[in-house]
């Protein structure tokens, strides 16, 4: 609800989701690839949830093919990768937005949320 709100179910802002794979094989620096601004490393625009089932697979890199997997990830507070030893002093290591917090949804609530998302 924090990022997916309004008429388009998106705040149209850029946030760090933790799915950047910074310094790894599938690295995606997100908005940085356009702006070259180090503070944009790992930031991705919040997509609209409208017509969600028509935009499969999901996330910026197509990582998820199951809505329940996405709901489960966000239910736990999102991805929070830790820097490798060689990245401990890297000032550009992306941080996951503080807007992502554990949702504490029950299994039934998560299934209900997936059913809701499918009708958008």
């Amino acid at each position: 609800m924090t990022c997916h709100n309004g008429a388009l179910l998106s705040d149209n802002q850029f946030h760090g989701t933790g799915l950047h794979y910074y310094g790894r094989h599938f690295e995606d620096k997100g908005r940085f690839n356009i702006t070259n601004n180090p503070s944009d490393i790992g930031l991705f625009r919040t997509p609209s949830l409208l017509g969600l089932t028509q935009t499969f697979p999901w996330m910026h890199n197509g990582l998820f093919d199951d809505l329940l997997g996405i709901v489960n990830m966000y239910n736990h507070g999102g991805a929070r990768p830790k820097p490798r030893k060689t990245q401990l002093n890297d000032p550009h290591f992306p941080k996951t937005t503080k807007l992502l917090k554990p949702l504490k949804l029950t299994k039934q609530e998560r299934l209900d949320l997936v059913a809701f998302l499918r009708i958008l």
Side-chain angles (χ1 to χ4, degrees):
M1 295 287 291
T2 303
C3 301
H4 293 282
N5 55 52
L8 296 177
L9 297 179
S10 170
D11 64 2
N12 286 307
Q13 300 296 311
F14 292 83
H15 302 284
T17 62
L19 297 176
H20 47 72
Y21 296 96
Y22 186 76
R24 291 176 166 82
H25 178 67
F26 293 108
E27 178 182 81
D28 188 339
K29 293 183 180 177
R31 190 172 192 208
F32 172 83
N33 293 332
I34 302 300
T35 67
N36 288 315
N37 181 342
S39 65
D40 287 339
I41 296 174
L43 300 185
F44 300 92
R45 189 179 67 80
T46 306
S48 171
L49 294 179
L50 299 178
L52 186 65
T53 58
Q54 298 171 20
T55 60
F56 168 89
W58 299 288
M59 306 310 277
H60 69 278
N61 56 4
L63 179 66
F64 287 93
D65 61 2
D66 176 32
L67 286 174
L68 185 57
I70 298 171
V71 169
N72 286 335
M73 179 188 71
Y74 285 124
N75 192 49
H76 286 95
R80 305 220 177 253
K82 297 190 184 328
R84 294 177 175 183
K85 288 181 184 179
T86 59
Q87 299 169 318
L88 290 176
N89 296 316
D90 185 343
H92 302 303
F93 191 87
K95 307 255 185 306
T96 301
T97 180
K98 293 179 181 179
L99 296 174
L100 291 176
K101 298 178 190 246
L103 301 174
K104 301 178 184 172
L105 300 175
T106 66
K107 182 176 182 177
Q108 188 59 54
E109 289 170 330
R110 286 179 275 146
L111 292 172
D112 291 345
L113 178 55
V114 168
F116 172 74
L117 292 170
R118 290 191 181 284
I119 65 169
L120 294 176

